Amino acid sequence: MENVRESDYNVNSPAEIRFFLNGIMQEKSLISLQIARNTHATILSSILAVDLPKKLLILDYGINETLNQMALKMGSVRCIASHNRIRIEFDCDNLQHIRFEGRNAFSVSFPGTLKRLQRRNFYRIETPVANPAICVVPSLSQDEETPAVYNLLDISCGGMALVDQPGTETIFRVGMTLENNQVKLSESEVVETSIGIMNVTTAVMKNGNVCPRIGCEFVNLTEKSRTQIQRYIIRLEQQARKLESKS
């Protein structure tokens, strides 16, 4: 397991925060609006709209008017939700009662920080350099029909890291969601999945090349695909142990 400092759980990029909020909205996940941290008073809600340009988040109105009025008087709530089985927390200020698409709703200021708990609770392993797994990504440009192929640097049941060509500026941006990708673990093992771009950094390869590193999260990964990846990871571990025992 990987150890992560508390600050590593915080997401501060508006585009990345929007990515998670859109995911919660699309999944129609319930959100608990915690009115005060020293009480158990909460409102069950959901995200109705994410408006980054206006820096607003629209939330469903609660069924208990007493709690609604309590929240409006407080003017802020802590939101607790789940996205891809990961707990999400964020604080929202400027809580107001509005009408949205003909119904009662809350509007709040777009959160400046979002906290993901247990983001890295998956064992991550490097893929072999000699025979790396690859990810085939459908073309992101209308001018090109040929899909792009990227080597994997590492993989876990939660996500993977891709490597782009050395000395290039990658086209991937944080917040992107890419559909219909094929992760080819071997000639006979292919996982089809959507991925979300979580971070874009650089990696120094063993040959000295500096390449863009694209950190990805699997989106709505099926149990069958998760099992395939887990078996692949176990196989790599077994191969690594054999090499260690021979050295």
Side-chain angles (χ1 to χ4, degrees), residues 6-247:
E6 182 69 17
S7 60
D8 289 338
Y9 293 113
N10 293 333
V11 179
N12 300 309
S13 162
E16 197 171 351
I17 292 173
R18 179 177 60 182
F19 169 77
F20 288 113
L21 296 180
N22 278 332
I24 294 170
M25 180 175 65
Q26 291 166 5
E27 290 178 356
K28 298 181 180 179
S29 300
L30 289 176
I31 296 181
S32 295
L33 307 183
Q34 192 175 31
I35 299 173
R37 298 184 186 181
N38 58 348
T39 72
H40 296 289
T42 59
I43 298 170
L44 283 181
S45 180
S46 60
I47 298 178
L48 301 180
V50 179
D51 193 336
L52 181 55
K54 293 184 179 180
K55 297 183 179 180
L56 287 176
L57 189 63
I58 309 301
L59 305 173
D60 198 10
Y61 205 64
I63 60 173
N64 188 314
E65 187 59 28
T66 300
L67 293 179
N68 291 337
Q69 292 302 318
M70 187 186 303
L72 289 168
K73 185 176 180 180
M74 291 289 296
S76 62
V77 289
R78 164 159 286 192
C79 302
I80 302 173
S82 177
H83 176 57
N84 291 337
R85 302 180 183 179
I86 297 174
R87 181 183 171 97
I88 303 289
E89 293 183 3
F90 54 95
D91 294 326
C92 289
D93 299 318
N94 196 26
L95 182 75
Q96 297 183 31
H97 173 220
I98 64 167
R99 296 286 292 177
F100 178 77
E101 296 182 346
R103 60 196 283 190
N104 289 322
F106 292 121
S107 77
V108 292
S109 298
F110 194 88
T113 300
L114 180 146
K115 181 177 289 187
R116 302 181 66 220
L117 301 180
Q118 298 180 349
R119 182 181 67 175
R120 302 294 287 272
N121 64 341
F122 296 107
Y123 178 78
R124 185 176 297 265
I125 191 168
E126 292 184 359
T127 56
V129 176
N131 186 27
I134 62 172
C135 181
V136 181
V137 179
S139 176
L140 300 180
S141 172
Q142 296 180 352
D143 300 331
E144 297 182 6
E145 298 181 358
T146 305
V149 178
Y150 299 90
N151 287 351
L152 270 64
L153 283 176
D154 56 49
I155 190 169
S156 75
C157 288
M160 60 186 175
L162 309 179
V163 59
D164 211 333
Q165 295 298 314
T168 62
E169 182 176 349
T170 184
I171 60 176
F172 294 106
R173 295 292 181 267
V174 171
M176 282 183 171
T177 300
L178 308 177
E179 311 286 345
N180 304 317
N181 308 278
Q182 290 188 331
V183 182
K184 297 187 177 182
L185 305 174
S186 67
E187 292 184 2
S188 59
E189 295 174 301
V190 179
V191 172
E192 295 187 1
T193 181
S194 300
I195 57 175
I197 306 304
M198 309 304 298
N199 56 73
V200 178
T201 56
T202 56
V204 180
M205 311 304 290
K206 292 182 179 179
N207 60 6
N209 287 335
V210 178
C211 305
R213 178 190 184 279
I214 302 98
C216 308
E217 179 184 51
F218 295 131
V219 178
N220 298 326
L221 191 68
T222 65
E223 286 303 318
K224 179 181 177 181
S225 296
R226 194 180 302 277
T227 300
Q228 281 183 279
I229 294 172
Q230 185 62 54
R231 288 174 178 170
Y232 175 71
I233 291 172
I234 292 172
R235 190 165 69 248
L236 293 184
E237 285 183 308
Q238 292 172 341
Q239 292 172 358
R241 290 195 189 103
K242 288 181 181 178
L243 290 174
E244 288 177 1
S245 63
K246 292 179 180 179
S247 59

